């Protein structure tokens, strides 16, 4: 049996592809349906805010509040510009509070100005959510591609390093080899997981490049090890191609995710600066 036949007939790879494909389809369907409903509600609220007056704005703000991140609400109304957490919608809650104060004071100029700012914030929120949906879909596609590509690289590497007839005799050596070979790749996904968790825990995490730098170092270690150890092996080009695709997809996901959040941050700050 040739190496290519082994790869194509691998039940493990087929199972992995089918599993991730099923998971991706289920998640995409749920995300699409729920976010479509949310976007529709926000768009309807924007239309209502645009024509609202002192008497009708309260209902608009109440409906809007139900669709925002409740963790961004400050009961005492003390929102500080330089400490606003945009991912908790604090800037939107702040603008809603300013509108409410304008209503209480019957200050029409401030009322109209804040309505425009609020509408602009909501447009940015819709755009951000749309970009985030696309980013998640991108991740759903890239992650299984990366894992399967790396798995293919490992299989080619094993069969290039150990003759097919001696596989059973070298199971322990093969296991150790796979672990050592996969360690940088596993660490890449650990970094990616930490980066994802920081979305909910750390403010301005997207402005820090330490995870990106570390991920590229691990990419260099993985590809460098292949160049050092495997350049004389058969199918070296195939090994390098599979592994390069797998490892480079991880920092790509980290960078594109950070860039999406960074753009939202910059856009919101422009409105805040204009208001001040």
């Amino acid at each position: 049996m040739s190496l290519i036949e082994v790869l194509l007939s691998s039940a493990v790879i087929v199972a992995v592809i089918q599993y991730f494909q099923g998971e991706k389809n289920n998640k995409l369907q749920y995300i699409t349906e729920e976010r479509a409903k949310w976007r529709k509600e926000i768009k309807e609220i924007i239309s209502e805010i645009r024509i609202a007056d002192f008497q009708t704005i309260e209902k608009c703000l109440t409906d809007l509040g139900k669709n925002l991140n409740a963790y961004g609400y400050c009961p005492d109304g003390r929102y500080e510009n330089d400490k606003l957490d945009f991912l908790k919608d604090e800037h939107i809650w702040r603008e809603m509070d300013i509108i409410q104060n304008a209503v209480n004071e019957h200050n029409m100029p401030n009322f109209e100005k804040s309505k425009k700012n609020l509408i602009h914030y909501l447009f940015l929120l819709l755009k951000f959510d749309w970009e985030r949906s696309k980013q998640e879909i991108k991740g759903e596609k890239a992650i299984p591609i990366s894992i399967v590509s790396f798995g293919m690289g490992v299989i080619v590497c094993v069969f290039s390093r150990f003759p097919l007839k001696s596989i059973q005799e070298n199971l322990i050596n093969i296991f150790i080899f796979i672990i050592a070979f996969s360690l940088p790749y596993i660490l890449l996904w650990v970094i990616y997981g930490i980066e994802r968790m920081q979305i909910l825990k750390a403010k301005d995490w997207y402005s820090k490049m330490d995870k990106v730098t570390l991920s590229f170092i691990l990419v260099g270690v993985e590809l460098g090890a292949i160049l050092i150890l495997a350049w004389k092996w058969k199918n070296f080009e195939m090994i390098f191609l599979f592994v390069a695709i797998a490892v480079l997809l991880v920092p790509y996901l980290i960078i594109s995710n950070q860039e999406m959040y960074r753009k939202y941050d910059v856009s919101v700050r422009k409105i805040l600066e204009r208001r001040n």
Side-chain angles (χ1 to χ4, degrees):
M1 182 181 292
S2 68
L3 178 59
I4 299 299
E5 290 175 333
V6 171
L7 289 175
L8 294 178
S9 62
S10 173
V12 175
I13 293 179
V14 172
V16 169
I17 293 174
Q18 290 178 341
Y19 170 78
F20 279 109
Q21 188 66 35
E23 287 291 304
K24 182 189 72 173
N25 291 338
N26 292 336
K27 289 181 180 179
L28 288 182
Q29 182 178 358
Y30 175 78
I31 291 172
T32 301
E33 292 176 355
E34 291 301 313
R35 282 186 167 154
K37 294 177 183 177
W38 179 83
R39 291 192 194 100
K40 182 180 179 182
E41 289 185 28
I42 293 295
K43 290 176 182 178
E44 291 174 352
I45 292 172
I46 290 175
S47 299
E48 293 173 359
I49 291 174
R50 193 184 300 275
I51 61 174
D53 54 23
F54 286 158
Q55 285 71 41
T56 59
I57 191 64
E58 185 173 354
K59 179 182 181 302
C60 298
L61 298 182
T62 301
D63 292 340
L64 177 58
K66 293 186 294 185
N67 287 277
L68 297 178
N69 188 336
Y71 292 120
Y73 174 67
C74 184
D76 58 10
R78 295 180 180 178
Y79 299 97
E80 300 180 35
N81 282 354
D82 57 341
K83 296 182 180 180
L84 292 175
D85 190 335
F86 304 145
L87 301 184
K88 293 181 180 178
D89 299 332
E90 287 185 1
H91 58 297
I92 300 178
W93 285 107
R94 171 182 176 271
E95 204 66 44
M96 292 166 62
D97 189 65
I98 293 173
I99 290 175
Q100 191 62 59
N101 290 336
V103 171
N104 295 336
E105 298 169 0
H106 293 278
N107 189 328
M108 183 58 71
N110 282 351
F111 178 74
E112 292 297 331
K113 181 180 179 180
S114 292
K115 277 206 313 178
K116 290 180 180 179
N117 286 337
L118 180 59
I119 290 172
H120 199 166
Y121 284 143
L122 295 178
F123 280 140
L124 288 177
L125 183 63
L126 287 172
K127 173 64 175 176
F128 173 66
D129 185 74
W130 176 247
E131 293 298 326
R132 186 167 53 184
S133 297
K134 292 194 295 183
Q135 180 66 23
E136 290 173 359
I137 292 172
K138 186 188 300 182
E140 291 292 334
K141 293 180 179 179
I143 290 173
I145 290 174
S146 174
I147 294 174
V148 171
S149 181
F150 190 80
M152 299 278 277
V154 169
I155 291 174
V156 176
C157 202
V158 168
F159 280 97
S160 299
R161 177 69 178 82
F162 300 93
L164 190 60
K165 296 180 180 180
S166 65
I167 293 294
Q168 292 184 346
E169 301 172 1
N170 293 282
L171 289 179
I172 295 178
N173 291 333
I174 291 173
F175 177 76
I176 295 173
F177 175 80
I178 291 174
I179 294 298
F181 186 82
S182 304
L183 185 58
Y185 181 67
I186 294 171
L187 291 176
L188 274 172
W189 284 116
V190 171
I191 293 173
Y192 177 78
I194 293 173
E195 183 80 359
R196 296 292 294 175
M197 288 189 292
Q198 284 185 332
I199 294 176
L200 301 176
K201 295 182 179 180
K203 184 181 177 182
D204 296 337
W205 60 271
Y206 40 84
S207 62
K208 301 175 182 178
M209 298 299 291
D210 54 332
K211 304 293 189 306
V212 175
T213 302
L214 184 56
S215 67
F216 274 114
I217 291 174
L218 289 172
V219 168
V221 170
E222 185 73 70
L223 297 181
I226 294 175
L227 289 172
I228 293 172
L229 299 176
W231 68 277
K232 289 185 177 180
W233 296 355
K234 295 180 180 179
N235 306 300
F236 164 74
E237 295 83 0
M238 189 183 299
I239 296 171
F240 192 85
L241 177 62
F242 281 140
V243 176
I245 292 173
V247 297
L248 287 173
L249 277 174
V250 183
Y252 164 73
L253 288 175
I254 295 175
I255 292 172
S256 59
N257 199 45
Q258 284 189 347
E259 183 62 20
M260 175 189 63
Y261 281 89
R262 194 177 296 114
K263 286 181 178 179
Y264 182 60
D265 182 288
V266 171
S267 298
V268 172
R269 290 189 187 280
K270 285 182 179 179
I271 302 177
L272 286 173
E273 292 172 1
R274 186 180 63 191
R275 160 171 276 284
N276 298 327

